[in-house]
Each structure stands twice: as C-alpha cells, then as structure tokens.
Amino acid sequence: VSTQSTWGMAVCPQRGRRRGTQAFKNKEEIMMKLIPMLCALALGLAAATPAVASEEIIKKARCVACHAVDQKRVGPSYKDVAAKYKGQADAVAVLSAKVRNGGTGNWGQIPMTPNGPDKISDADLKAAVEWILKL
C-alpha cells in the first residue's frame, strides 16, 4: 500500500521514504539544484551563439569566396590572420579598416577588394573580425 506525497511521488508507508529517482525534501531544495543547472545551460547557449552568428555573417558577406577557416585560398586563412594579429591591441580596428578599404602586400600580391557598408555593416564587420581573432 502506498500513498501520494505532495510532489506526486509514491511514499512507502513501511519505510517512510519516497520512491523515485531523486527525493527532494521541499521546493527550495529543488530550486537550489535547478537554478545553477539552468544558468549553466543559458551561459553555454549564449557563448555558442556569437560564434555561429559571426560565421553566418562571414558567409552572408561572401568572405568565404576568398578565405577559409584553416586553409589558404585566394587570401589567407582566418587562423593565419588570427595568429598574425594575436596580442595586438588595435587588431579589430586595423583589420576592420583592411576589410573596408581593401589593399595589397600584406599577404602577397593578390589585392583584397574593398568591402563597403552595403556588403557588411559596421556591427557585423566588428563581430566577424572579433570571431576571426578568437580562432
């Protein structure tokens, strides 16, 4: 014979214990265990979202026509760019200017064409450059 507890779990009258995978004493105990798990999940999702968004920005702006993450195409790989500018305080500004203005001579003689705000917005450009520098 068993009765129902306030949480809907069966209680064994002989032993006075709840049967189930986890027995909680009260709502506060549940919340104390649930809140940190939900926070960790939310932080994990938030951390993953910018990387996906920035990679999508790069694809949308057609940067992938000349660049790839880990191999040289017409231009250098994103990882090579990240390594070259690692630790440089003004790297985001320098690279953003290179994308906007284009140029030649930094990675060989093949010129990089300018990419105006009609192709990639300032906010998207900053997010893309920051993503590249984290590779």
Side-chain angles (χ1 to χ4, degrees), residues 46-65:
T49 302
V52 172
S54 297
E55 192 169 8
E56 289 302 316
I57 289 168
I58 286 171
K59 288 178 182 176
K60 180 181 168 189
R62 304 277 301 137
C63 303
V64 294

Side-chain angles (χ1 to χ4, degrees), residues 2-134:
S2 67
T3 59
Q4 290 290 336
S5 73
T6 56
W7 289 90
M9 297 179 77
V11 177
C12 177
Q14 290 86 16
R15 296 189 185 142
R17 292 185 294 183
R18 293 183 176 107
R19 293 181 304 185
T21 59
Q22 180 76 31
F24 294 103
K25 295 181 180 131
N26 55 39
K27 290 180 185 179
E28 288 80 22
E29 186 178 347
I30 291 172
M31 295 307 289
M32 293 300 291
K33 293 185 185 259
L34 186 61
I35 288 173
M37 288 189 293
L38 291 175
C39 288
L41 177 64
L43 285 173
L45 291 174
T49 302
V52 172
S54 297
E55 192 169 8
E56 289 302 316
I57 289 168
I58 286 171
K59 288 178 182 176
K60 180 181 168 189
R62 304 277 301 137
C63 303
V64 294
C66 297
H67 302 277
V69 172
D70 57 1
Q71 63 183 7
K72 182 183 182 329
R73 288 192 178 162
V74 175
S77 73
Y78 298 135
K79 286 187 177 182
D80 288 343
V81 173
K84 182 174 181 174
Y85 291 91
K86 183 177 183 172
Q88 189 172 327
D90 62 345
V92 173
V94 169
L95 289 172
S96 295
K98 288 181 184 288
V99 171
R100 277 285 180 251
N101 303 323
T104 187
N106 293 305
W107 297 92
Q109 293 305 309
I110 299 173
M112 179 170 164
T113 58
N115 296 280
D118 58 317
K119 186 169 182 180
I120 184 167
S121 70
D122 290 338
D124 284 352
L125 176 57
K126 183 175 188 271
V129 170
E130 288 172 346
W131 176 78
I132 290 167
L133 291 170
K134 290 178 184 174

